[in-house]
């Protein structure tokens, strides 16, 4: 990531105009959808899009999982629509279960289906099609559009937009290929709720900057982070203490350096090794052999991977590997309408969801 950022800075005079063109194209596309010039699927139940303005590391999958768990607690039947990055489904739409081959389902949909067996996770790059199919098959009470901020072919009642601290500083309004943003800052006006994935102290120290960047949209901003409960073997079982043994990390995610920093905090020491694979890496038996050889060489007592890697490594005889048992934790907030600060769990309710759904239906009839 550091090398990429350095290259983008060096090539800024060349990349910035290309980013401007990309941003303009995305803005025109958004206008066409807003004017209903392009066909959209309109869900027959409340629909929440969980997406971001930049790429990777903003916590979309954990927040989507939190929504599925919340819906279950309310007695609601939920469906999540995923494009299934890296998936090769045997048919479309594809219903993901805990037993689905990861090659067919994709790693993130499989992780969500495994952790939320009460929800329906459906993979299809054409989400207008999967949305209609899921509605006909399951009659859901809630539809979650995973990674959906720029996917406007499915109409939503609420846009949850997730950001990282970098989005407010070095990454602000730097659109592909100049930076990691998928569209320009004007796209943020479509958001209904903002989330910032960061530690509490970092969020509080950035409040003035966040207010400066997002204040004009008058939408609530919630801080969240992933709280580690402990370690788990890949084959399941109860949560275990972190311990103080030497450990080695394995990851195939977008921001491995973030995983390494988090594990240093959890374990109280640096990993003795971090084997980094590309994002969504399809692990093989040869990879597992290499991991075990490296572990023996560096003297690691534990091999720890991310939850996303766990669903792939679990099927390759890695039951003795560990993964981090994580939960989403909301604490801080910023409101621009005089609302008393409170965390997202306290603010969020079925009434807010229903109000948004009724507002969409009312506006569509005008």
């Amino acid at each position: 990531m550091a090398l990429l950022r350095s290259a983008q800075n060096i090539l800024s005079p060349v990349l910035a105009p290309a980013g401007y063109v990309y941003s303009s194209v995305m803005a025109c596309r958004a206008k066409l959808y807003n004017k209903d010039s392009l066909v959209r699927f309109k869900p027959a139940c409340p629909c929440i899009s969980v997406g971001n303005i930049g790429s990777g590391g903003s916590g979309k999958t954990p927040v989507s999982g939190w929504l599925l768990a919340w819906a279950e607690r309310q007695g609601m039947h939920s469906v999540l629509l995923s494009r299934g990055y890296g998936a090769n489904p045997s048919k479309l739409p594809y219903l993901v279960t805990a037993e689905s081959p990861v090659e067919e389902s994709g790693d993130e949909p499989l992780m969500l289906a495994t952790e939320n067996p009460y929800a329906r996770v459906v993979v299809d790059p054409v989400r207008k099609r999967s949305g209609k199919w899921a509605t006909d098959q399951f009659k859901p009470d809630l539809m979650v559009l995973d990674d959906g901020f720029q996917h406007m072919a499915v109409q939503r009642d609420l846009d949850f937009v997730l950001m990282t601290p970098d989005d407010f500083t070095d990454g602000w309004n730097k659109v592909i290929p100049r930076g990691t943003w998928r569209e320009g800052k004007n796209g943020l006006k479509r958001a209904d709720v903002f989330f910032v994935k960061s530690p509490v102290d970092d969020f509080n120290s950035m409040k003035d900057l966040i207010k400066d960047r997002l204040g004009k949209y008058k939408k609530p901003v919630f801080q969240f982070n992933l709280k580690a409960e402990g370690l788990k073997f890949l084959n399941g079982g109860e949560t275990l203490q972190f311990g103080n043994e030497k450990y080695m990390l394995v990851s195939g995610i977008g921001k491995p350096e973030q995983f390494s920093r988090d594990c240093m905090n959890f374990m109280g020491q640096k990993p003795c090794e971090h084997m980094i694979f590309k994002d969504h890496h399809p692990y093989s038996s040869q990879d597992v052999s290499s991991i075990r050889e490296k572990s023996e060489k560096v003297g690691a007592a534990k091999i720890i991977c991310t939850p996303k890697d766990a669903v792939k490594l679990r099927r390759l005889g890695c039951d003795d590997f560990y993964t981090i048992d994580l939960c989403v934790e909301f604490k801080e907030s910023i409101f621009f309408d005089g609302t008393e600060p409170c965390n997202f769990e306290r603010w969020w309710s079925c009434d807010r969801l229903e109000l948004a759904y009724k507002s969409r239906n009312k506006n569509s009839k005008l």
Side-chain angles (χ1 to χ4, degrees):
M1 180 61 72
L3 289 174
L4 176 61
R5 180 60 58 82
S6 178
Q8 287 172 329
N9 288 335
I10 293 171
L11 297 174
S12 178
V14 177
L15 298 179
Y20 176 78
V21 172
Y22 189 88
S23 177
S24 299
V25 170
M26 292 298 288
C28 289
R29 176 175 170 270
K31 287 180 181 179
L32 289 173
Y33 273 115
N34 288 337
K35 293 179 179 179
D36 286 330
S37 298
L38 298 175
V39 178
R40 310 178 81 179
F41 169 68
K42 299 179 180 180
C45 65
C47 179
I48 301 174
S49 163
V50 179
N52 56 13
I53 192 78
S55 62
S58 61
K60 295 188 305 296
T61 301
V63 170
S64 292
W66 185 93
L67 279 172
L68 297 180
W70 172 83
E72 170 68 8
R73 294 194 296 272
Q74 313 310 311
M76 303 167 68
H77 299 292
S78 60
V79 163
L80 179 136
L81 304 183
S82 170
R83 65 171 173 157
Y85 182 86
N88 186 25
S90 54
K91 60 181 179 179
L92 294 171
Y94 182 87
L95 179 64
V96 184
T97 69
E99 288 73 39
S100 296
V102 68
E103 298 81 10
E104 295 187 1
S105 65
D107 48 20
E108 289 174 353
L110 181 57
M111 183 176 74
L112 285 166
T114 301
E115 294 177 353
N116 305 278
Y118 38 77
R120 309 287 187 174
V121 177
V122 182
V123 164
D124 193 333
V126 182
R127 282 177 275 191
K128 289 191 293 186
R129 176 174 58 199
S130 61
K132 183 180 184 306
W133 180 83
T135 298
D136 294 341
Q137 292 289 318
F138 308 119
K139 306 294 188 295
D141 303 306
L142 173 66
M143 188 169 286
V144 177
L145 187 59
D146 180 51
D147 195 10
F149 190 44
Q150 289 78 31
H151 189 86
M152 288 171 279
V154 176
Q155 192 172 38
R156 71 292 313 275
D157 304 298
L158 290 168
D159 262 304
F160 285 4
V161 176
L162 280 57
M163 304 179 73
T164 65
D166 181 70
D167 288 323
F168 295 95
T169 53
D170 292 343
W172 178 258
N173 201 34
K174 292 179 181 176
V175 181
I176 297 169
R178 173 65 182 88
T180 63
W181 278 31
R182 301 174 176 184
E183 56 183 311
K185 63 182 180 180
N186 287 338
L188 294 172
K189 65 186 178 183
R190 302 197 312 274
D192 296 292
V193 183
F194 291 103
F195 295 85
V196 180
K197 181 176 180 288
S198 75
V200 170
D201 290 345
D202 291 355
F203 181 83
N204 287 334
S205 69
M206 292 177 60
K207 278 188 174 180
D208 287 342
L209 179 59
I210 293 171
K211 290 176 181 178
D212 180 61
R213 300 293 202 195
L214 303 181
K216 63 182 178 180
Y217 304 114
K218 306 299 181 183
K219 302 297 172 59
V221 183
F222 295 99
Q223 172 269 341
F224 79 100
N225 209 357
L226 301 181
K227 179 183 177 182
E229 302 287 330
L231 296 175
K232 274 191 173 182
F233 282 114
L234 265 56
N235 63 354
E238 62 184 38
T239 300
L240 308 171
Q241 295 296 314
F242 288 111
N244 56 10
E245 302 99 330
K246 289 180 67 175
Y247 69 98
M248 167 180 152
L249 298 181
V250 177
S251 65
I253 57 176
K255 293 186 176 180
E257 67 281 357
Q258 184 174 302
F259 178 53
S260 182
R261 285 196 303 269
D262 289 344
C263 285
M264 284 176 59
N265 292 331
F266 303 152
M267 304 292 290
Q269 59 178 313
K270 293 181 179 180
C272 59
E273 182 69 34
H274 188 175
M275 289 188 69
I276 298 173
F277 297 84
K278 66 179 182 179
D279 195 14
H280 301 284
H281 179 69
Y283 291 97
S284 65
S285 298
Q286 185 175 352
D287 290 327
V288 173
S289 296
S290 297
I291 292 168
R292 291 191 182 281
E293 288 174 9
K294 177 63 71 173
S295 173
E296 291 181 10
K297 184 176 180 180
V298 300
K302 293 177 178 177
I303 301 173
I304 302 174
C305 66
T306 73
K308 189 168 83 170
D309 296 303
V311 297
K312 291 175 282 190
L313 291 169
R314 184 181 297 131
R315 303 181 182 204
L316 292 171
C318 299
D319 288 352
D320 56 328
F321 287 18
Y322 296 84
T323 189
I324 309 290
D325 186 14
L326 298 169
C327 68
V328 179
E329 184 176 53
F330 303 97
K331 284 196 173 181
E332 298 294 317
S333 64
I334 302 173
F335 291 90
F336 300 99
D337 61 359
T339 298
E340 187 71 21
C342 64
N343 68 29
F344 177 69
E345 286 184 278
R346 182 178 165 192
W347 177 85
W348 180 241
S349 67
C350 290
D351 289 342
R352 290 190 185 279
L353 178 62
E354 186 63 23
L355 182 62
Y357 178 59
K358 288 180 178 178
S359 177
R360 189 248 292 179
N361 282 335
K362 180 180 178 180
N363 290 335
S364 65
K365 293 176 183 178
L366 295 178

